[in-house]
Amino acid sequence: MTVAREVELEGHIIDSGTMETAFSIIMDMGGEFDVETFDIGRSKTETSYARLTVTADDEATLDAILHELHQNGANPADPDDAELAPAPRDQVVPPGFYSTTNHPTDVRVDGEWIPVEDPEMDCAVVVERGAGTRARTAVLNAVEAGDMVVTGEAGIRVDPPERPRESEGAFGFMQGGVSSERPSESTIEQVADAIVETTREGGDVLAVCGPALIHSGAREDLARLVRAGYVDAISAGNGFAVHDIERDLYGTSLGVNTETLDHARKGHKHHIYTISEVIRAGGIEAAVEDGLVESGVMYECVVNDRPYVLAGSIRDDGPLPGTITDAVEAQNAIREQAHEADMVLMLSTLLHSVAVGNCLPSTTRVVCVDINPATVTQLLDRGSAQAVGMVTDIGTFVPILAEKVLGGAGADSGH
């Protein structure tokens, strides 16, 4: 005896590959399908609609298929209300709770679809009733006893970003994928146009930075973008800030002169000297205000009031004052940055790229640049399918990007 359920797909389901993906999921997982309705959009802007009957040999197989379909934007044709259960105690969710994707999501409560606030992967959904019903994502450590948590798959609607038939404008190139070619000035120019457009529209650009950006000599160019208002916030680790300030104090990064590539005498001690001097000054802001630090990315963040988050690591020296060493506190600070960002540049850092990527909704535009292809592919594999990846040298990418942004928009023009 077989069991069956109808699902719907709507949007640019042909161009985005959504329909092909749905067919593959059903067949690969041992199910079958019949296409009951298929309305094809007849113009570049018209969407398509399909209704499928999915069948399987038993309920367990059908539930597994429907779960995978749901994660990819196929929703039940006859939705029920979402099932809610109270959290038994703080940081404990009910069994079978719904674990979110990073796509825009709605939940059906009392017959009405409610948008879930702050879409983010691997969270619970908490529904609050009061003056008005609202739904929000909650990381597990933020769930409180009595919170009404969505369980199961019923009454949940997921809407993955689509790839339209026509890709135009500054963001037309941002359709996902990885390029392993040498730095392409045309691609970098498109990234630059996207940054300028985001800024012009009042959006925020977040730069997620690794120490390699300083080692490679791209520090001054990123600082120019911060100063000119095309990078609104920085997310980095203690090491990035240490080597940025080391470059100002000693002309080196990890003891190496980034211009001549010479190893300075006692250069291997420069980073720890840097930390000591900043601690002595009372912190990064105090070091800038006292005139100890006079250039660089952190300097520009302080003097131009650009917020930054420095997240600590088990391997940190020091660390610098202001580095958040509590992992949960650091994650919450990164999450706040991620939710405010309209475009994110991930620049040569695997751990921070994945950390920020985990907090981003799939509607946020992401460009990930690293010489190591594993950084880019891991980000996409984790679920940041909206990311555009470039496998290239960060020391070449950032200077060209700054030239394109500042040259095209007017140097140091700001917002």
Side-chain angles (χ1 to χ4, degrees):
M1 177 180 175
T2 60
V3 288
R5 185 78 182 270
E6 286 191 343
V7 299
E8 297 176 319
L9 299 100
E10 189 168 9
H12 295 287
I13 58 178
I14 301 173
D15 308 271
S16 297
T18 305
M19 195 163 188
E20 180 184 356
T21 298
F23 291 167
S24 297
I25 288 170
I26 296 167
M27 291 185 291
D28 290 346
M29 297 184 68
E32 297 181 357
F33 64 88
D34 289 308
V35 179
E36 307 293 347
T37 304
F38 189 17
D39 298 325
I40 303 175
R42 303 294 179 180
S43 71
K44 292 181 181 296
T45 56
E46 259 186 16
T47 58
S48 300
Y49 170 84
R51 188 172 74 252
L52 314 178
T53 298
V54 183
T55 58
D57 291 336
D58 53 68
E59 288 285 356
T61 303
L62 182 61
D63 286 347
I65 294 171
L66 292 176
H67 173 79
E68 290 302 319
L69 289 174
H70 180 259
Q71 303 293 295
N72 287 275
N75 296 299
D78 53 345
D80 298 318
D81 277 357
E83 298 174 5
L84 306 178
R89 59 181 189 271
D90 289 354
Q91 302 185 9
V92 178
V93 291
F97 79 99
Y98 175 73
S99 179
T100 58
T101 69
N102 60 352
H103 302 314
T105 302
D106 301 315
V107 294
R108 197 170 187 267
V109 182
D110 300 329
E112 304 235 351
W113 287 105
I114 309 295
V116 177
E117 300 171 14
D118 296 327
E120 181 181 335
M121 68 176 71
D122 301 333
C123 291
V125 176
V126 173
V127 174
E128 299 176 356
R129 287 185 170 100
T133 302
R134 63 186 287 250
R136 58 179 174 82
T137 55
V139 293
L140 298 192
N141 62 42
V143 171
E144 298 180 354
D147 281 348
M148 298 305 294
V149 178
V150 175
T151 61
E153 302 278 343
I156 303 164
R157 186 169 64 189
V158 176
D159 184 22
E162 299 175 335
R163 181 170 63 249
R165 288 192 174 97
E166 201 166 76
S167 300
E168 294 181 343
F171 296 102
F173 77 104
M174 301 189 73
Q175 305 299 335
V178 180
S179 169
S180 58
E181 300 175 357
R182 63 179 177 80
S184 165
E185 287 211 27
S186 61
T187 303
I188 298 175
E189 186 168 7
Q190 289 174 310
V191 177
D193 290 345
I195 292 172
V196 171
E197 183 172 319
T198 299
T199 301
R200 184 168 55 240
E201 294 177 353
D204 285 344
V205 177
L206 170 65
V208 183
C209 308
L213 189 147
I214 308 299
H215 306 333
S216 66
R219 167 184 181 264
E220 283 69 27
D221 292 290
L222 181 61
R224 290 168 63 207
L225 291 173
V226 174
R227 179 168 63 250
Y230 291 104
V231 170
D232 300 280
I234 295 288
S235 180
N238 178 69
F240 172 84
V242 169
H243 298 304
D244 173 61
I245 298 172
E246 177 194 339
R247 179 72 177 85
D248 179 76
L249 298 183
Y250 300 100
T252 61
S253 177
L254 266 183
V256 177
N257 186 302
T258 57
E259 293 180 0
T260 66
L261 301 183
D262 291 333
H263 288 263
R265 186 171 179 273
K266 294 187 178 180
H268 63 287
K269 298 182 179 182
H270 285 174
H271 75 286
I272 202 69
Y273 289 167
T274 296
I275 294 169
S276 175
E277 290 304 309
V278 174
I279 292 173
R280 193 188 324 279
I284 297 173
E285 290 82 359
V288 170
E289 291 167 3
D290 292 349
L292 175 67
V293 176
E294 298 180 326
S295 70
V297 179
M298 303 310 299
Y299 170 86
E300 297 295 346
C301 284
V302 173
V303 299
N304 292 289
D305 198 25
R306 311 274 188 250
Y308 59 86
V309 170
L310 302 179
S313 162
I314 194 68
R315 64 186 181 276
D316 281 342
D317 292 314
L320 289 170
T323 299
I324 304 174
T325 55
D326 182 288
V328 174
E329 185 184 343
Q331 188 183 79
N332 288 336
I334 288 171
R335 179 172 290 109
E336 186 175 336
Q337 280 189 317
H339 290 172
E340 292 177 356
D342 298 286
M343 183 175 178
V344 179
L345 302 174
M346 297 180 172
L347 306 174
S348 196
T349 170
L350 171 58
L351 297 180
H352 265 77
S353 294
V354 172
V356 175
N358 287 350
C359 300
L360 291 173
S362 62
T363 50
T364 301
R365 300 171 175 110
V366 177
V367 177
C368 180
V369 183
D370 203 295
I371 196 67
N372 182 1
T375 299
V376 181
T377 55
Q378 184 168 338
L379 181 70
L380 270 63
D381 290 345
R382 274 288 297 139
S384 301
Q386 80 277 25
V388 172
M390 290 186 67
V391 181
T392 191
D393 174 30
I394 199 70
T396 303
F397 175 85
V398 174
I400 297 176
L401 179 69
E403 178 187 341
K404 300 291 184 184
V405 170
L406 300 175
D412 293 355
S413 59
H415 283 269

